[in-house]
Amino acid sequence: MGIETEYGISVPGHPHVNSMLTSSQVVNAYAHSLQSSHRPNARWDYDEETPLRDARGFDLSRAEADPSQLTDDDNGLANVILTNGARFYVDHAHPEYSSPEITNPYDGVLWDKAGQRIMARAVELIAQTPGLQPVNLYKNNTDNKGASYGTHENYLMARSTPFADIIRHLTPFFVSRQVITGSGRVGRGQEGREIGFQLGQRADFFEVEVGLETTLKRPIINTRDEPHADPVHYRRLHVIVGDANLAEVSTYLKLGITALTLSMIEAGFLDLDQAMAFPVREMHQVSHDPSLKHLVTMNSGRRLTAIQMQMEYAEQARKFVEDRWGSDVDDQTADVLNRWQDVLDRLETDPMSLSSQLDWVAKLSVLEGYRDRDGIGWDHARLQLVDLQYSDVRPDKGLANRLEARGSLVRLTTDDEVRRAMVRPPDDTRAYFRGECLRRYPDEIAAASWDSVIFDVHGRAALQRVPTLDPTRGTRSHVGELLDRCSDAGDLIDALFAATS
Amino acid sequence: MPTRDTGEHQQRSRSTEDVIDEAPKASADVAERKDALDADIDAILDDIDAALETNAEEFVRGFVQKGGQ
């Protein structure tokens, strides 16, 4: 799995600067600051990209597509691959960090946080460069003026899983998981014109139930079928409903409970009926009710709060893990199950006790603090500023960062781990091969992508493309020794081709 | 392991027990805890006051984004 995040970008005092150019500056500032061993020279390889393929089994023609859907065009904007296996580039007028592939929620938090720190470093570098206007970056999802930009999760799934099952079980799960994963927002409606607080940054931007689009008419279930892997065996579920989370517990639970739910769907284990007639409207209403009392009406006639809906998924997950693994369950899965239950119990009895764990609660407690202390209403600009500045990536200006620094927001990772994750890939996915090749042979990689590394070996005429179509291969245990043995890319290519011929 | 995305069961060596659960004891007196939270939020607001951008209205108005995914 992995998380891709488009960051909000602004040049204070200049609201209408060309954000594609400033986003390029951000990427370039960071890329050029790296020591030569970490400096990316390689270009992105677009060969295997199919953004218009629909999981329901058809392709949208390029002529019918909105230009924003043509994400496989090399448009000349900054686009680099980092030695930690991530892609750092300009997407739709925002700098985007796509994390390397990871296998578990804890690593998801770690490499997501690495991306946040990379953005903060870029801001710092630009601020130090004479002649450049300072740029601020925000890990949020809306400007409260009608624009939204995404934080997408990606999950590798077995191709054999029927897409209809995914739609049926994931729709109610997404409607209700906002009570855990929301980042909180001041304002309602796409342009934030209605006053008040809501759980989600993104909820109001979802307009349809199922579809291919990500930039307009956004669907709760996105059908983009671009696995970046062998399509016979895998699909990549592209989840676009999520918020950008700053709280590490929010990110950890978001990935953990969603992965567990997908495992149950893959196994055909889920026995729940939460089908509803109006999921889009319910998604908005759940988000608009921080008292968490809104009752979602099911087709069966049942009416449940979002917490109760999540409790049914959590209970099934506990049974599923017990049934499949019993006492052999790994620590992290057990931890996700326990935290999921604990968070739901507390949301029911005393939600504000989660102010050190979940984004929306942390943000709301600060906002309520200002409302009490300063006697201000929900339409006051100071509250809108708190909402925005919560997500500022700078350590001194970002409110989530300040809450973490004073211990008011729980950390799961350590700074040392995050610093390492900024330059090193995870050990246990193909990101290891990609990142390590870039680190070890920086001058001999011509291009790379999720599913390939292309070598330009000194003294050889042809480029050598090494496909990495299986995300679970190319790990440290798979290729670590081989890489250690090869002092240059030529040795590596010879060894790889000798092994396959 | 079920939180892995390929469904294959593998043991992980890393323990996350050291990061588990800072839940208050179930017996904690709710009123007492609320007082502590209130004192804490005052300190938090003092800290944030120092960081907030000046001229909130203008700053918020100036944050204009192009669309995205």
Side-chain angles (χ1 to χ4, degrees):
Chain A
M1 50 191 161
I3 301 181
E4 35 176 317
T5 307
E6 296 176 340
Y7 283 70
I9 180 164
S10 77
V11 176
H14 300 84
H16 300 292
V17 293
N18 182 330
S19 49
M20 284 160 90
L21 289 182
T22 45
S23 296
S24 266
Q25 266 177 10
V26 166
V27 175
N28 288 330
Y30 182 76
H32 292 150
S33 75
L34 297 169
Q35 302 160 357
S36 61
S37 65
H38 290 128
R39 188 178 302 152
N41 297 314
R43 66 173 183 83
W44 189 255
D45 173 22
Y46 284 99
D47 275 7
E48 300 284 339
E49 307 235 330
T50 54
L52 303 181
R53 183 148 305 154
D54 195 298
R56 293 164 295 184
F58 50 85
D59 284 356
L60 183 66
S61 81
R62 295 185 80 84
E64 285 172 70
D66 187 86
S68 65
Q69 290 177 279
L70 301 175
T71 55
D72 54 349
D73 261 354
D74 193 345
N75 50 19
L77 291 170
N79 190 348
V80 300
I81 312 141
L82 303 175
T83 54
N84 72 355
R87 182 184 184 192
F88 183 26
Y89 67 119
V90 180
D91 197 11
H92 302 282
H94 299 274
E96 171 163 337
Y97 170 87
S98 293
S99 82
E101 302 90 331
I102 45 86
T103 63
N104 63 85
Y106 183 82
D107 284 353
V109 174
L110 192 52
W111 271 275
D112 178 67
K113 191 77 158 210
Q116 194 180 315
R117 294 287 188 259
I118 284 169
M119 294 288 176
R121 177 71 184 134
V123 167
E124 184 183 33
L125 287 161
I126 290 175
Q128 291 166 355
T129 307
L132 288 187
Q133 288 175 318
V135 170
N136 289 349
L137 297 175
Y138 297 85
K139 196 182 187 190
N140 66 358
N141 302 105
T142 178
D143 64 356
N144 257 334
K145 298 169 189 70
S148 183
Y149 31 99
T151 302
H152 299 171
E153 302 139 63
N154 295 292
Y155 300 89
L156 191 69
M157 294 188 74
R159 171 64 60 177
S160 55
T161 312
F163 205 75
D165 289 357
I166 296 175
I167 295 172
R168 180 159 61 100
H169 289 302
L170 222 42
T171 303
F173 177 80
F174 285 154
V175 166
S176 55
R177 85 169 185 172
Q178 303 178 81
V179 298
I180 298 172
T181 61
S183 275
R185 177 180 171 203
V186 176
R188 295 178 185 168
Q190 296 192 357
E191 296 179 5
R193 289 209 179 122
E194 285 170 64
I195 59 169
F197 179 83
Q198 63 170 313
L199 304 182
Q201 289 264 310
R202 285 278 273 177
D204 287 344
F205 294 91
F206 285 81
E207 299 174 36
V208 301
E209 294 173 30
V210 181
L212 184 59
E213 293 86 354
T214 55
T215 53
L216 57 155
K217 290 184 293 179
R218 293 185 183 87
I220 295 175
I221 304 290
N222 183 246
T223 55
R224 181 185 290 185
D225 189 4
E226 189 183 24
H228 299 312
D230 180 354
V232 176
H233 295 112
Y234 297 117
R235 67 168 79 251
R236 171 181 64 119
L237 187 73
H238 190 228
V239 173
I240 68 170
V241 291
D243 284 357
N245 288 117
L246 282 294
E248 294 190 354
V249 174
S250 293
T251 303
Y252 178 76
L253 279 174
K254 175 168 73 178
L255 293 172
I257 69 176
T258 306
L260 266 168
T261 300
L262 292 173
S263 291
M264 291 193 284
I265 295 173
E266 270 183 331
F269 183 88
L270 261 183
D271 181 24
L272 277 183
D273 179 12
Q274 296 188 357
M276 62 193 87
F278 302 106
V280 174
R281 190 200 299 165
E282 296 287 6
M283 170 172 265
H284 297 172
Q285 288 174 342
V286 167
S287 182
H288 291 183
D289 177 32
S291 78
L292 310 174
K293 300 275 191 291
H294 172 71
L295 291 170
V296 176
T297 304
M298 319 278 156
N299 292 341
S300 62
R302 290 198 300 160
R303 302 184 78 209
L304 300 179
T305 65
I307 300 171
Q308 290 165 336
M309 290 169 72
Q310 280 289 307
M311 280 177 169
E312 293 191 349
Y313 280 88
E315 191 186 317
Q316 293 256 315
R318 191 171 288 284
K319 283 185 190 152
F320 174 68
V321 171
E322 177 60 34
D323 179 64
R324 299 299 152 106
W325 292 281
S327 56
D328 286 341
V329 62
D330 65 279
D331 292 345
Q332 204 174 142
T333 299
D335 182 48
V336 167
L337 281 173
N338 289 338
R339 284 178 184 271
W340 194 0
Q341 190 63 54
D342 175 59
V343 160
L344 290 172
D345 289 344
R346 294 217 230 173
L347 285 171
E348 190 120 288
T349 54
D350 184 13
M352 295 318 280
S353 70
L354 292 164
S355 65
S356 64
Q357 301 201 40
L358 301 183
D359 275 316
W360 75 264
V361 189
K363 191 183 277 182
L364 181 59
S365 89
V366 170
L367 292 163
E368 290 287 13
Y370 273 105
R371 281 163 46 76
D372 277 357
R373 192 192 73 179
D374 300 348
I376 53 181
W378 279 114
D379 56 343
H380 198 283
R382 188 172 309 139
L383 302 187
Q384 293 164 2
L385 180 62
V386 167
D387 183 10
L388 173 60
Q389 226 178 304
Y390 182 83
S391 66
D392 190 321
V393 300
R394 292 173 293 179
D396 56 331
K397 286 291 188 180
L399 304 188
N401 286 333
R402 287 185 84 101
L403 290 174
E404 279 187 346
R406 65 194 307 286
S408 302
L409 199 53
V410 167
R411 286 286 300 269
L412 303 180
T413 63
T414 66
D415 282 339
D416 282 346
E417 284 180 305
V418 174
R419 270 192 289 276
R420 188 173 191 284
M422 288 166 71
V423 290
R424 292 297 185 97
D427 282 345
D428 54 358
T429 67
R430 65 184 173 190
Y432 180 80
F433 180 74
R434 180 189 315 123
E436 286 295 305
C437 284
L438 285 160
R439 185 173 72 84
R440 292 167 191 243
Y441 322 117
D443 303 326
E444 295 180 287
I445 312 289
S449 69
W450 302 119
D451 43 26
S452 69
V453 178
I454 298 178
F455 292 84
D456 183 4
V457 178
H458 295 320
R460 299 193 191 184
L463 298 180
Q464 310 283 339
R465 186 170 195 275
V466 177
T468 54
L469 277 170
D470 189 335
T472 65
R473 290 166 63 86
T475 62
R476 184 188 199 108
S477 65
H478 181 214
V479 299
E481 267 180 49
L482 173 69
L483 291 173
D484 287 343
R485 256 199 335 264
C486 299
S487 57
D488 59 41
D491 286 354
L492 176 65
I493 290 295
D494 291 343
L496 285 172
F497 282 86
T500 53
S501 62
Chain B
M1 108 180 196
T3 55
R4 295 173 67 98
D5 42 20
T6 54
E8 222 173 276
H9 182 47
Q10 275 184 32
Q11 285 285 350
R12 276 183 62 78
S13 54
R14 189 201 318 258
S15 165
T16 52
E17 276 167 22
D18 53 336
V19 298
I20 295 182
D21 209 10
E22 38 304 307
K25 300 274 178 293
S27 60
D29 178 14
V30 172
E32 197 175 286
R33 203 152 50 75
K34 188 175 180 309
D35 286 346
L37 279 176
D38 286 350
D40 193 39
I41 196 72
D42 287 342
I44 288 174
L45 295 187
D46 287 345
D47 182 64
I48 291 178
D49 282 337
L52 281 184
E53 306 283 356
T54 51
N55 200 341
E57 197 169 344
E58 193 186 318
F59 196 87
V60 168
R61 200 185 320 119
F63 184 72
V64 180
Q65 299 296 295
K66 291 228 163 52
Q69 298 213 52

